[in-house]
Amino acid sequence: MLAQATAAQPAGLEQPYLLEIAHISKGFPGVVALDDVQLRVRPGSVLALMGENGAGKSTLMKIIAGIYQPDAGEIRLRGKPVVFDTPLAALQSGIAMIHQELNLMPHMSIAENIWIGREQLNGLRLVNHRAMHRCTAELLARLRINLDPEELVGSLSIAERQMVEIAKAVSYDSDVLIMDEPTSAITDKEVAHLFSIIADLKAQGKGIIYITHKMNEVFAIADEVAVFRDGAYIGLQRADSMDSDSLISMMVGRELSQLFPVRDKPVGELLLSVRDLRLEGVFEGVSFDLHAGEILGIAGLMGSGRTNVAETLFGITPSDGGEIRLDGQVLRISDPHLAIKQGFALLTEDRKLSGLFPCLSVLENMEMAVLPHYSGNGFIQQKALRALCEDMCQKLRVKTPSLEQCIDTLSGGNQQKALLARWLMTNPRLLILDEPTRGIDVGAKAEIYRLIALLASEGMAVIMISSELPEVLGMSDRVMVMHEGELMGTLDRAEATQEKVMQLASGMTAVH
Amino acid sequence: MNAILESKPEEKKPATAPVKSRRRFPTELSIFLVLIGIGLVFELFGWIVRDQSFLMNSQRLVLMILQVSIIGLLAIGVTQVIITTGIDLSSGSVLALSAMIAASLAQTSDFSRAVFPSLTDLPVWIPVVAGLGVGLLAGAINGSIIAITGIPPFIATLGMMVSARGLARYYTEGQPVSMLSDSYTAIGHGAMPVIIFLVVAVIFHIALRYTKYGKYTYAIGGNMQAARTSGINVKRHLIIVYSIAGLLAGLAGVVASARAATGQAGMGMSYELDAIAAAVIGGTSLAGGVGRITGTVIGALILGVMASGFTFVGVDAYIQDIIKGLIIVVAVVIDQYRNKKQRKR
């Protein structure tokens, strides 16, 4: 393996490693998250870390950043063994991390968020807001992020918050920067921006560990690729010595058959008909038809109103006008429980914010939407529900030590599968999926795609919202494209290409 | 159910299937041990200071549980409110208001200065229903204000706390209501309050663990937005939870006035804080989503053992309060530390 080959080279030819991980193991109740893994990062390079969900990537990063303590093993920073008891200790040693889940305080300004715990003080030991804003403005300018330091984080879009997270991590001026799926919530334009920032950091001699599920990103920026699988270290290779096929087979340990399943043209009846749907100040003029067994994709950039359309259909934000007809009957949906009664289901975009019950068990998380059907006399039919949930776990391959396990402790992909199970258990007629594969690895993605295709072929109508164009194009029968709250056009599968969708999504042209 | 999923091809071995559930260590065990520990400490002091047993005295134990049962009723209600990330500061005042109104309808005709001279010697269910109704109404108002306007529960119930106390005083211009009928005072006689407390505790223990009501309560406390997306009518459920807390405060008012054979506007003063303390000592998290009735019952017992024990040992009442405050904080710190350790493992 190349790892050993390079390690065996005489000293002096290679720069010393910035960070080395050796024989690290970590277990959680019932699960071995990491088993004797290794890793090393060179200065001035980008190491991409890949693997399926639950492979242990995030766990390892949390160990490096001092959030978890390893059960065994050693971390060496610039050749010296180090132990990080707290995230602060790691930060002070020059290791900063951008978290997968956003960790910003919405009621504080961008500047306050970036400098939290390190506020500039004036002579009276009071916070010097002016200096702080100036520093922030400089930092944002250096990173070419166009935001006002005094703006509240709560009023930013998810993509903008992610950019603030990145700025915050850069502001520590760390030698090692860990990025845990930084692009899962941002659009292509911001991804390009991020890559230019990464190139700058590389030029400054920083070491970057970049976790991602996206192949094209790996080949775009990574110098080396390390692969993890099921808590074990599989190998490390130069990025230019690999292609996506060899990388995928390294990740999943098996050849992946086609990612997107082939389906026949849907033949179902008209199920849902939406006319001129409108939400004041957010979107307007949204009209479409949806047949049973059809998959309708909604594409658009962040803030284009895609998610809002889904939330309006589901009654989270009731519409201000327009018409929704189900089976020809006009519906007025003012709350999610009414939508569920009509056979709607919505897998929301932000798991942490509006999907998970973090302190409840996997079982309780899964059963929540079907409880009314399993509690005729008020009491819950525990046995029947448990059997159903066990069944779903097996079918969706949810990896958990037990159904009683707190859902917090599962990996992102397994949490997502459990939430999908929550909705499939309600037997919906219309399944709305908002970024269903956000933060999910290739293997699980393919499984979810196959499942969606299967559900559609059995007559379920599916609306799929996604930032990933290949996904929307690969799955949808038709693609609806939105731009700044407006429906720019609907493309058939045959005419939908990445270029066409991007043109519509960026507002350059419109087809009506 | 899902015919679609049944037909899924090539079922992989259940390497990913959930394993059999393991028995969990009951979270209440540690708090129960604390209760035993405190009891034993007083036992020890009892022999040293007073040369007699603290625990081996059934009369004292009954009295202790009796004192606990009123606060315990309030604590059962407030536990459910806290699980939804709320708080109820009004329970002590609502207790007083419902005690006043129930007592005023339970007076005997022998008494010449009854509140309602024409409404004496009524059947016992009338004052009971009135007392419960007043509590239910106060709780429903709390819940409606919180659910509909979205103001913080702390503020809404603070308002109710002040207003309900004022109303209780205004009702008879501050005069106590006494000379209650025997059939009414029987509700507070002997071990009745303890029985009522325990029955209510069992009912809500079951409700929280085995019914849709309970699951929804935990879900709302865990993640309100996700609860709404999952089809839970969050507003309606919050109103129900606060109404139940009010109803229990009303019940506590009936029991308290029956036991004291009088209704007084000053009853239940600062009981709401003891009730919250009992819930929190018992492991209910103010951050919501976590808490159990068994824990709350033990928490209430700890408060009772301490009050009874300090008096028994002869500790000054002011010092009792100082120590009580300390124990509340220490109990929560220990609980939090234990949870963290369990998580890390």
Side-chain angles (χ1 to χ4, degrees):
Chain A
M1 193 141 291
L2 218 104
Q4 277 114 23
T6 46
Q9 273 178 356
L13 283 181
E14 285 286 341
Q15 280 187 311
Y17 297 126
L18 199 54
L19 180 74
E20 286 171 278
I21 308 293
H23 306 298
I24 291 270
S25 295
K26 174 76 181 171
F28 292 107
V31 183
V32 178
L34 287 175
D35 185 17
D36 194 18
V37 301
Q38 51 171 304
L39 201 67
R40 78 277 181 300
V41 184
R42 287 174 215 281
S45 77
V46 177
L47 172 70
L49 198 54
M50 299 200 75
E52 296 195 5
N53 287 315
K57 304 170 310 248
S58 290
T59 308
L60 180 60
M61 292 308 111
K62 283 180 178 165
I63 287 174
I64 296 175
I67 297 167
Y68 293 156
Q69 271 63 55
D71 298 338
E74 193 178 52
I75 303 175
R76 282 192 294 273
L77 190 62
R78 290 182 217 88
K80 287 193 206 90
V82 285
V83 175
F84 300 133
D85 292 331
T86 62
L88 186 65
L91 265 177
Q92 284 167 345
S93 306
I95 296 177
M97 177 161 174
I98 302 170
H99 292 273
Q100 190 176 357
E101 313 283 358
L102 302 174
N103 283 304
L104 296 173
M105 278 138 278
H107 301 296
M108 297 172 80
S109 72
I110 292 175
E112 285 168 321
N113 266 288
I114 288 178
W115 301 104
I116 189 138
R118 309 172 286 157
E119 290 84 357
Q120 282 96 335
L121 304 177
N122 61 19
L124 294 171
R125 311 280 304 149
L126 299 175
V127 174
N128 186 344
H129 282 103
R130 199 180 302 161
M132 209 159 84
H133 289 148
R134 203 177 46 237
C135 286
T136 312
E138 280 165 16
L139 175 71
L140 295 179
R142 187 150 59 86
L143 300 176
R144 298 178 295 281
I145 298 172
N146 197 12
L147 289 172
D148 177 5
E150 294 181 50
E151 192 162 357
L152 290 186
V153 164
S155 57
L156 301 181
S157 71
I158 292 186
E160 287 167 336
R161 289 185 207 195
Q162 184 69 61
M163 297 314 282
V164 172
E165 276 272 11
I166 290 163
K168 182 178 174 183
V170 170
S171 75
Y172 284 97
D173 204 22
S174 308
D175 298 332
V176 179
L177 200 59
I178 301 169
M179 302 189 179
D180 194 354
E181 292 189 46
T183 58
S184 61
I186 62 181
T187 56
D188 289 350
K189 208 176 95 204
E190 284 127 353
V191 171
H193 187 171
L194 173 66
F195 285 0
S196 71
I197 293 174
I198 291 178
D200 288 350
L201 294 171
K202 223 169 98 171
Q204 291 164 27
K206 316 258 186 215
I208 292 156
I209 304 178
Y210 189 96
I211 300 183
T212 183
H213 289 305
K214 299 178 184 167
M215 293 291 161
N216 52 352
E217 292 184 356
V218 173
F219 296 113
I221 54 161
D223 299 299
E224 293 171 310
V225 187
V227 175
F228 279 62
R229 192 196 311 146
D230 293 332
Y233 170 81
I234 302 300
L236 187 147
Q237 296 195 18
R238 293 188 63 86
D240 50 23
S241 70
M242 306 184 79
D243 60 16
S244 58
D245 285 344
S246 62
L247 187 52
I248 289 178
S249 60
M250 202 169 158
M251 279 166 62
V252 297
R254 58 180 186 269
E255 294 296 329
L256 260 196
S257 49
Q258 209 181 355
L259 201 57
F260 301 109
V262 186
R263 293 182 306 124
D264 294 329
K265 190 82 185 125
V267 284
E269 299 198 343
L270 182 65
L271 183 79
L272 185 78
S273 162
V274 175
R275 288 291 171 270
D276 285 321
L277 199 65
R278 185 163 64 82
L279 187 64
E280 214 61 71
V282 183
F283 66 81
E284 57 183 10
V286 173
S287 306
F288 62 89
D289 288 330
L290 184 61
H291 299 80
E294 191 179 23
I295 300 179
L296 174 70
I298 305 184
L301 303 175
M302 288 275 156
S304 62
R306 317 171 299 191
T307 296
N308 306 87
V309 171
E311 289 182 348
T312 299
L313 282 176
F314 201 62
I316 294 174
T317 49
S319 67
D320 292 320
E323 198 178 72
I324 303 171
R325 279 173 186 269
L326 182 72
D327 300 326
Q329 303 286 316
V330 178
L331 285 187
R332 172 91 194 125
I333 301 171
S334 56
D335 198 82
H337 75 270
L338 300 172
I340 293 170
K341 237 178 232 161
Q342 298 294 342
F344 290 16
L346 170 66
L347 188 66
T348 53
E349 176 184 21
D350 191 329
R351 260 200 311 274
K352 201 175 177 184
L353 192 70
S354 55
L356 292 179
F357 300 108
C359 32
L360 297 189
S361 69
V362 177
L363 177 72
E364 286 166 321
N365 266 281
M366 285 174 69
E367 71 190 8
M368 211 49 90
V370 286
L371 279 183
H373 299 290
Y374 283 83
S375 55
N377 51 3
F379 283 90
I380 296 164
Q381 297 151 19
Q382 308 257 17
K383 264 192 192 147
L385 256 181
R386 170 171 258 288
L388 176 59
C389 289
E390 274 176 3
D391 205 41
M392 287 306 278
C393 268
Q394 221 172 84
K395 286 183 172 130
L396 302 193
R397 295 178 203 162
V398 181
K399 218 190 225 176
T400 171
S402 83
L403 281 178
E404 274 66 38
Q405 184 79 17
C406 178
I407 198 149
D408 261 2
T409 58
L410 302 193
S411 71
N414 281 312
Q415 289 177 351
Q416 187 74 341
K417 287 193 211 166
L419 292 186
L420 183 59
R422 176 195 289 170
W423 289 115
L424 293 185
M425 279 158 57
T426 66
N427 252 334
R429 298 178 67 196
L430 168 64
L431 180 63
I432 308 172
L433 304 162
D434 196 352
E435 301 281 7
T437 61
R438 179 168 157 189
I440 283 193
D441 62 73
V442 185
K445 262 185 192 173
E447 268 178 55
I448 286 188
Y449 294 148
R450 194 177 59 222
L451 200 63
I452 294 170
L454 209 56
L455 292 165
S457 70
E458 295 281 331
M460 200 182 284
V462 179
I463 294 178
M464 187 163 126
I465 300 171
S466 174
S467 298
E468 288 185 45
L469 278 183
E471 177 174 299
V472 181
L473 296 174
M475 292 298 296
S476 315
D477 297 304
R478 283 181 300 144
V479 183
M480 206 167 97
V481 190
M482 294 189 66
H483 170 71
E484 290 184 355
E486 235 180 294
L487 180 58
M488 303 303 289
T490 306
L491 303 169
D492 272 335
R493 185 170 211 167
E495 51 173 341
T497 60
Q498 296 221 15
E499 291 72 29
K500 263 193 185 152
V501 172
M502 270 324 291
Q503 270 179 3
L504 293 177
S506 54
M508 289 194 287
T509 53
V511 230
H512 284 292
Chain B
M1 43 122 335
N2 246 320
I4 315 141
L5 295 169
E6 240 85 78
S7 63
K8 203 171 155 202
E10 48 104 23
E11 204 50 72
K12 270 267 172 74
K13 267 289 292 166
T16 56
V19 296
K20 257 274 170 258
S21 77
R22 286 171 301 166
R23 277 207 70 76
R24 280 187 300 178
F25 197 60
T27 33
E28 283 76 21
L29 191 66
S30 68
I31 200 75
F32 186 68
L33 292 177
V34 170
L35 173 65
I36 303 284
I38 294 177
L40 290 177
V41 168
F42 282 123
E43 180 73 22
L44 187 70
F45 272 103
W47 287 109
I48 295 170
V49 181
R50 298 198 44 183
D51 203 22
Q52 55 169 290
S53 171
F54 171 67
L55 294 173
M56 298 299 143
N57 184 331
S58 56
Q59 219 181 333
R60 175 161 37 244
L61 289 184
V62 168
L63 194 69
M64 188 193 85
I65 300 175
L66 262 176
Q67 282 166 342
V68 155
S69 52
I70 306 279
I71 285 178
L73 284 173
L74 300 183
I76 291 168
V78 84
T79 298
Q80 301 172 56
V81 169
I82 294 176
I83 290 172
T84 67
T85 62
I87 192 85
D88 186 359
L89 296 175
S90 67
S91 57
S93 300
V94 171
L95 180 154
L97 180 61
S98 95
M100 291 298 285
I101 288 173
S104 71
L105 295 171
Q107 287 177 304
T108 59
S109 54
D110 322 338
F111 188 46
S112 54
R113 287 181 288 120
V115 181
F116 302 112
S118 57
L119 293 177
T120 50
D121 289 332
L122 297 174
V124 68
W125 63 267
I126 291 180
V128 171
V129 168
L132 296 181
V134 167
L136 185 68
L137 185 67
I141 292 172
N142 277 338
S144 306
I145 291 174
I146 290 160
I148 293 166
T149 70
I151 67 167
F154 187 95
I155 304 296
T157 59
L158 180 71
M160 178 58 73
M161 168 179 136
V162 176
S163 295
R165 181 73 65 187
L167 194 56
R169 293 213 170 92
Y170 176 78
Y171 188 59
T172 60
E173 317 255 277
Q175 297 300 313
V177 182
S178 39
M179 296 297 278
L180 309 184
S181 66
D182 291 343
S183 52
Y184 183 75
T185 53
I187 297 169
H189 192 72
M192 267 308 272
V194 178
I195 294 168
I196 292 173
F197 167 49
L198 292 180
V199 167
V200 167
V202 169
I203 289 173
F204 283 102
H205 177 74
I206 292 171
L208 278 184
R209 295 206 61 185
Y210 302 105
T211 69
K212 198 171 73 173
Y213 164 80
K215 296 282 182 192
Y216 283 7
T217 306
Y218 286 109
I220 288 172
N223 186 341
M224 208 174 280
Q225 220 168 323
R228 181 153 182 251
T229 313
S230 302
I232 299 172
N233 191 335
V234 173
K235 287 182 179 173
R236 194 181 68 189
H237 196 83
L238 281 180
I239 294 174
I240 294 173
V241 172
Y242 281 92
S243 299
I244 286 175
L247 180 72
L248 291 178
L251 177 61
V254 169
V255 174
S257 59
R259 179 158 171 253
T262 173
Q264 297 190 11
M267 276 178 156
M269 196 68 90
S270 84
Y271 276 22
E272 62 278 344
L273 297 181
D274 278 345
I276 294 168
V280 169
I281 290 174
T284 305
S285 161
L286 285 172
V290 179
R292 295 222 231 168
I293 297 298
T294 42
T296 298
V297 170
I298 297 171
L301 286 176
I302 287 180
L303 288 178
V305 169
M306 281 184 342
S308 162
F310 284 135
T311 313
F312 168 69
V313 180
V315 176
D316 180 274
Y318 298 139
I319 297 182
Q320 282 191 26
D321 279 349
I322 298 172
I323 301 176
K324 191 165 115 188
L326 264 175
I327 293 202
I328 291 170
V329 175
V330 169
V332 177
V333 170
I334 291 174
D335 192 51
Q336 204 151 23
Y337 179 74
R338 205 180 61 92
N339 283 345
K340 216 180 260 171
K341 221 168 84 180
Q342 211 164 38
R343 249 180 194 223
K344 268 198 183 158
R345 218 166 4 102

